[in-house]
Amino acid sequence: DVQLTQSPSFLSASVGDRVTITCRASRVIDNHLAWYQLKPGKAPTLLIYAISTLQSGVPLRFSGSGSGTEFTLTISSLQPEDFATYYCQQLGSYPLTFGGGTKVEIK
Amino acid sequence: EVQLVESGGGLVQPGGSLRLSCAASGFTFSDYYMDWVRQAPGKGLEWVARSRNKANSYSTAYAASVKDRFIISRDDSQNSLYLQMNSLNTDDTAVYHCVRLRVDARSIDHWGQGSLVTVSS
């Protein structure tokens, strides 16, 4: 199985901060890497797919990058509505796996 | 507008069974792969099962933790996805989300709100 390790698992940041979340895979994966945002009581939403492609309607402050075994999600200027939990997912091999999540809270 | 609405969750005793349903609307259901993804209380996301589309013979795939206990199925005529869960144990307690994959299966692009399954005596 491909293990995905997200770091940090928790981060405290202020509005306007640049935030970077890392997702490391236990082996090289192709570009089937996606990022999701989860908020309590709401359905999760897709932010990024294929490592760096922004889903339609997602603000441009979100971006994804990486290759091989290391991938990042960056929020260029954190907004109040971005305080949430973020997960990476690999869809290249079975079983599909998720990272452990990164909770972004207000500093 | 794509909508995925789960139903069928509830409280069940260990060893029991439950069937979840997902009513889909707003898209051509038969064209898409559909998955179930769960989140246990206070835990992260876990992929559970996949139902491929008609073009891929409705083939299925399962996480090791549910293989031989859970069965994913679909009825394209009813735009519905199902998850038959048997031999439930406390580790299966979670919110179960019905999700749609992008046409290229490169990500989940729509999630349902989820249905809570609680396994407890």
Side-chain angles (χ1 to χ4, degrees):
Chain A
D1 299 3
V2 177
Q3 310 298 325
L4 297 180
T5 303
Q6 271 185 250
S7 60
S9 55
F10 173 89
L11 74 87
S12 182
S14 301
V15 172
D17 284 353
R18 181 182 182 88
V19 167
T20 299
I21 299 168
T22 299
C23 178
R24 288 189 174 87
S26 58
R27 59 178 169 86
V28 173
I29 63 176
D30 58 16
N31 66 345
H32 287 46
L33 192 286
W35 292 92
Y36 307 95
Q37 180 189 68
L38 275 69
K39 294 182 178 180
K42 299 183 76 174
T45 57
L46 171 65
L47 299 173
I48 303 279
Y49 64 94
I51 299 177
S52 60
T53 304
L54 197 68
Q55 171 70 349
S56 175
V58 173
L60 293 176
R61 62 181 179 273
F62 290 92
S63 64
S65 64
S67 65
T69 61
E70 187 156 329
F71 306 90
T72 60
L73 172 71
T74 299
I75 308 172
S76 60
S77 178
L78 200 63
Q79 298 301 300
E81 60 268 31
D82 301 336
F83 292 96
T85 303
Y86 296 85
Y87 288 87
C88 57
Q89 183 196 22
Q90 68 81 21
L91 299 95
S93 63
Y94 291 98
L96 309 186
T97 48
F98 290 90
T102 296
K103 187 173 185 179
V104 178
E105 290 202 342
I106 300 173
K107 192 171 189 177
Chain B
E1 178 194 4
V2 172
Q3 288 199 324
L4 301 169
V5 180
E6 302 91 341
S7 60
L11 176 64
V12 60
Q13 291 189 336
S17 298
L18 209 59
R19 189 194 197 208
L20 299 181
S21 299
C22 171
S25 61
F27 64 102
T28 305
F29 185 72
S30 61
D31 286 347
Y32 289 84
Y33 288 15
M34 299 292 296
D35 287 1
W36 288 97
V37 172
R38 68 184 181 183
Q39 185 170 27
K43 303 292 186 181
L45 298 169
E46 180 186 16
W47 173 77
V48 173
R50 166 162 293 177
S51 172
R52 297 182 184 87
N53 57 11
K54 180 179 180 181
N56 287 277
S57 306
Y58 301 120
S59 57
T60 59
Y62 296 91
S65 58
V66 306
K67 190 173 170 56
D68 299 326
R69 297 189 300 123
F70 290 12
I71 300 172
I72 188 171
S73 61
R74 62 196 291 163
D75 183 342
D76 287 357
S77 68
Q78 298 292 319
N79 292 333
S80 293
L81 181 73
Y82 305 100
L83 186 68
Q84 177 67 42
M85 302 183 293
N86 302 320
S87 302
L88 285 160
N89 58 62
T90 54
D91 289 340
D92 297 316
T93 294
V95 173
Y96 285 73
H97 296 275
C98 165
V99 303
R100 189 188 85 166
L101 281 292
R102 281 176 46 88
V103 173
D104 58 12
R106 290 193 167 196
S107 73
I108 298 166
D109 66 356
H110 286 89
W111 298 66
Q113 289 270 19
S115 182
L116 176 62
V117 173
T118 303
V119 184
S120 175
S121 55

